[in-house]
Structure formats: C-alpha cells, structure tokens
Amino acid sequence: MVVGGFASVKKVKTTNELLRKLHSGKSPLVLIKNDDAVAVVQDIEDYKATLRTLEFFSKVARGERELREGKGIEHEKVFDDIDAMIASHQARNGKRKKT
C-alpha cells in the first residue's frame, strides 16, 4: 500500500526542494520514476517511530511464537524476577526498597 504525497523524481531537482515538499506535508513522500514507485522518503522522527513500532510488533510476534512452542513464563515469575533485579540493583547502590 502506498500512502502519503507523491513527488516525481523528474520534477524534484534538488535535495532542498525535496525537503521542502517533505516538511510541507505530514505524510512521507513516495518518489515516482517511469510511473513506478521507487523510494519512500520520510521525516527522521517518523522513521524512528516506525522502527520502534516494528520492534514492538516483532517482540509481540516472538512472544506469541514462544507461547505456541510452550516456552512461555508465568507472569508471576516475571514480576518476581523484576522485583529481585530491582532489589539487587538497590542493594548494590546502597538503597533500600520502600514498602
């Protein structure tokens, strides 16, 4: 699926012109050459957000796969492990856990 604005590589002559087009709209630009989409250009912050989203869903997919394979961990164990890690960290740094 192609979303966003369209800019023909024949019409965009300079990087500055491409950046102006990119920042004038909210969507990424799809560059077209010979009537075919050849590249997508997006703002760096949008790109970073896209990477974070992909990483999140990759981890969700891995977790679902591991559950199907019987490799899941009970949530109580996870929370116990986290509490132990926090306590260990606090002990190393001379802090006590508040109760």
Side-chain angles (χ1 to χ4, degrees):
M1 179 171 79
V2 178
V3 297
F6 291 87
S8 169
V9 289
K10 291 179 182 177
K11 293 181 181 178
V12 177
K13 303 288 185 202
T14 66
T15 302
N16 284 339
E17 184 180 349
L18 181 64
L19 291 174
R20 272 195 303 278
K21 286 181 179 287
L22 178 65
H23 292 298
S24 68
K26 190 65 177 152
S27 300
L29 295 175
V30 178
L31 302 182
I32 306 296
K33 183 176 182 180
N34 299 328
D35 294 327
D36 290 322
V38 294
V40 175
V41 180
Q42 69 183 130
D43 177 79
I44 190 67
E45 294 306 317
D46 291 340
Y47 176 72
K48 289 176 183 178
T50 299
L51 290 179
R52 286 190 301 273
T53 301
L54 288 172
E55 180 181 12
F56 171 79
F57 283 110
S58 173
K59 289 178 179 180
V60 168
R62 186 181 80 204
E64 289 176 338
R65 183 181 66 250
E66 288 177 359
L67 283 173
R68 283 192 306 274
E69 295 170 354
K71 297 179 182 176
I73 300 172
E74 295 291 329
H75 71 277
E76 290 91 358
K77 172 148 178 34
V78 172
F79 290 129
D80 289 345
D81 290 350
I82 291 171
D83 286 342
M85 289 170 54
I86 291 170
S88 174
H89 175 74
Q90 290 174 336
R92 283 193 311 268
N93 292 307
K95 297 178 183 176
R96 299 177 112 189
K97 181 178 176 182
K98 293 182 180 179
T99 56

